[in-house]
Amino acid sequence: MQHPPTHNGAPKSVGVIGAGFAGMAAGAILANEGHDVTIFEKNATIGGRARTFSEMGFTFDMGPSWYWMPDVYERFFARFGRSVADLYQLQQLDPGFAVVFADNEVVDIPADFDELCRLFEQIETGAGDKLRRFIADGAFKYHVGMDEMVYKPGHSITEFISLRLFGQALRLQLFSSFSKHARRFFKDPRLLALIEFPVLFLGAMPKDTPALYSLMNYSGLKQGTFYPMGGFGKVADTFRDIARQAGVRFRTSEAIEKLETSNGRVRHIHTAGRSVPTDVVIGSADYQHIERALLPSRDRHYKDSYWAERTFAPSCLLFYLGVSKRIARMRHHNLFFDQDFGLHAEEIYQRKMWPTAPLFYVCCPSVTDPSVAPEGHENLFILMPIATDLPDPEPIREHYYQLLMDRLEKFAGETIRDHVVLKRSYCVSDFKNDYNACQGNAYGLANTLRQTAIFKPKLKSPKVSNLFFAGQLTVPGPGVPPAIISGTIAAHEVLKYLNS
């Protein structure tokens, strides 16, 4: 759906680095405003970390697998006169996910919130009513955050100084610890584990994360956990199709080698095969890579020491497994919290070492979606959060594969390894090679107070006037919905720049 352009004068040429969700969102909005947009992608396929691969009748999502914050997708599609229902089939999961504790105790998280409150009450007396209050608090943060905070570019603190936000600052709990906040409501370690897991997997240690992020619990436990039939690759394809319909050109397998600048502006984008003049560049690939590898030193804002001092969200060791039988006990999302949460978090964020007794996550989308595996087979995606920048040779990967499979088979009560017909691993060095990811991170910067909103890397280059950034290292942070929001903010900032 092509809108009439609202910009002043002739269309401008915009080069976007990276065809992940942030880059495609930004490109689609700018092309829909009449600008000439090209997205350059170093890999052969679009989607960024949400790429897929298919082999032997299996289709694997390589990255994102949790569909939360459904309103963010709807808000984006509405810009183009579309809705999720027009584009792909969204299935609410019930249970939303399962948590496996010691001695193979399984807690299924029901989709119905009243049922969830009853479950909390069974585990800890009084916890049902406390969950209602906890989630109501998260809902407040979510709606204030989505309406008034996350779509701001993070240039300056003045963006957040409104009478309304100032009056609500205490309720938003930007300066309170998530860990302390959760413990005001719950005592049972099982309840704390399922409340804190989004923080461990996406951010930082709960004690270092602002209590603001209980908004994630509202999304996961009250809005619900969903699955796009066909997998996240279908969502990435939808963004590509919307961008193409708006006029975006995609150049895959075309890595950018240099941004040529003069007088504080990018003049040309250089790839292996061409030099492309440009009016604006949006860097939705790794921020540090763009500055360090593509820009001349005079135009870099952040020094190497800056990145070395950041707290990154985890990297991860992933296994994609095709299994030649069904596994009766598997749910769609399975979180293994049968080991010490605190120790694993400490080894990720403080000691920066391979974990002693890791927590891990197993996604089995073939429970919900028969299209992702041959009939009678299972599609398994196993993720173990780890520290960034660890060496990951094959013997280490194999050691953890055997360790995780021991625990998975114990839970399943049946052999799995003997039925694995397809196996592929992915780890720190792959994130570096495929995405130029700083320190091999998987999720960007941790959601600590010192790395929230205005404290994140700047969305607009302070040194190059027509260079903007988007993606998980900028506002608002890691995850697919934040990436979509980031691309939206970047596009709006480019429009302001072009119309000024």
Side-chain angles (χ1 to χ4, degrees), residues 76-114:
F76 179 80
F77 295 142
R79 301 180 68 103
F80 302 88
R82 312 295 293 276
S83 70
V84 165
D86 303 327
L87 301 166
Y88 48 86
Q89 182 187 346
L90 201 58
Q91 179 76 38
Q92 184 166 11
L93 301 182
D94 191 9
F97 56 96
V99 188
V100 181
F101 295 107
D103 301 321
N104 269 356
E105 178 189 5
V106 183
V107 176
D108 283 315
I109 305 304
D112 181 80
F113 185 65
D114 290 332

Side-chain angles (χ1 to χ4, degrees), residues 113 116-118 120 126-137 185-186 194-195 217 221:
F113 185 65
L116 178 62
C117 291
R118 288 192 289 273
F120 268 56
D129 286 340
K130 288 178 180 177
L131 179 63
R132 292 184 190 280
R133 296 201 302 273
F134 183 83
I135 294 300
D137 172 76
F185 291 83
F186 312 110
L194 68 91
I195 288 293
N217 301 117
L221 300 178

